[in-house]
Amino acid sequence: MKTTITFLCFLATAVLALPATAQHQGHQQQPKDTVTHQMGQQDHSQHMGMQHGTMQMPMSHAFSRNLPMSRNASGTGWLPDASPMYGNMFHRGNWMLMLHYNLFLRYNKQDVFEVGERGDSQFDAPNWFMLMGQRFIGNRGLLRFSGMISLDPLTVGSNGYPLLFQTGETFEGSPLIDRQHPHDLFSELSVGYTHMLSEEADVFVYLGYPGEPALSNVAFMHRPSALNNPDSPLGHHWQDATHISFGVATLGVRYRNFKLEGSSFTGREPDEERYNFDMPRFDSRAVRFTYNPSTNWSLQASTAFVKSPEVAEPDEDVYRTTASVLYGNMLSGDNRYFTASANWGYNYVDAHHKEHSFLLESNLQNDRFAVYGRYEFVQKSAEELGFEEEAFGHDETLGVNALTVGANRQLTEIGTVNVHLGAQVSLFRAGSQLHPYYGEFPVSGQVYLRLFPRLMVPRM
């Protein structure tokens, strides 16, 4: 059954992308200095769009008529302007529409050499599909919407996929441990409106059910430095797990390359019923400050009170603080770039429960070939990993290190769908207390086919 569903996902992706083939063949790659010059400009006429027949087609950022489209990220977040965008672009009347997706067909083996007792293996297909649209309203307004679905509940399974040392959310009433939970079928349904005060200033509002509050870095599923890696970070619930919140309202203001925004949102993470809409609570709050000092960098710092995020710990509230640095650099030649991300996340519950996480990842795309890596350090309690606290000492915090390296290469192109063959290896190292259960150096590996759209190079 799962094999049939996986094949249908592959077929649907190819069919969805085929109608855009002719349009993308008409878009030519621009020289590096031309692209960099365009992204660094604040010229109003550039971001107003392009003429196609008699229709005005907006080509701006989703939350500003005067910022480049390449700054688009998940939720209301920012990427560096020198970031690649993969997708299919369509125009319908005054609307500009973009289709983005990422699909992995893979075999995943955790603890390849079986040095511990907590490994597992699985054939699965992590995936997401997003449709975005935007249009100008009058002389100063910008309206946008975004809808994202994930077929993870079908192609990965209700209990997610195996991933050593991963924790968060539940299956059949029990916490998921050494597994990454599947994402909800409806992962984002949001609308936003921006009003231009001047070419240097905007105010905007964002509403999502579900949606992503102004907290943390760009969600890992949408970071250019993470797109080639099928796995969620181990620090997901210390950094960007709020990217699916059932009830989000964000108000923000931009001045030049500074942005300040605040959100009210539902702190409880999605329940294990992956096809429904959870109750909106609006019981949590977040504030985020973002600054893009140049076309290559994006910096953010955020803090939040998250009310009862885990269903297994309903009386436990979390104060979450994050900071991150994103880097992007378009290299000379077609589809060549280097991207990187450094993320720090900190969860504070009380004086006895405070945990840090750190992530450093990068990706080098050399046209049809990519190499990438990720290093993580995360602190987790014995209880989070399924052990009785008494076995390790009361309130013991356990440190986990993980290093992943991978590579992939294009096999073929079906219409506008890239098909890449890849593999990656992960090496884990935890404290000696965990060696009897995980082994000293557990190693995990996977091979995969990745399906995603080609690079977008819109003609200005």
Side-chain angles (χ1 to χ4, degrees), residues 1-15 103 129 151 155:
M1 178 65 178
K2 186 175 290 187
T3 303
T4 302
I5 293 169
T6 301
F7 173 75
L8 289 175
C9 289
F10 174 90
L11 186 61
T13 304
V15 171
L103 168 64
F129 303 82
L151 300 179
T155 61

Side-chain angles (χ1 to χ4, degrees), residues 171-187:
F171 173 65
E172 295 183 345
S174 298
L176 282 167
I177 302 172
D178 299 311
R179 300 189 74 88
Q180 165 63 33
H181 62 79
H183 289 101
D184 278 38
L185 174 63
F186 295 101
S187 298

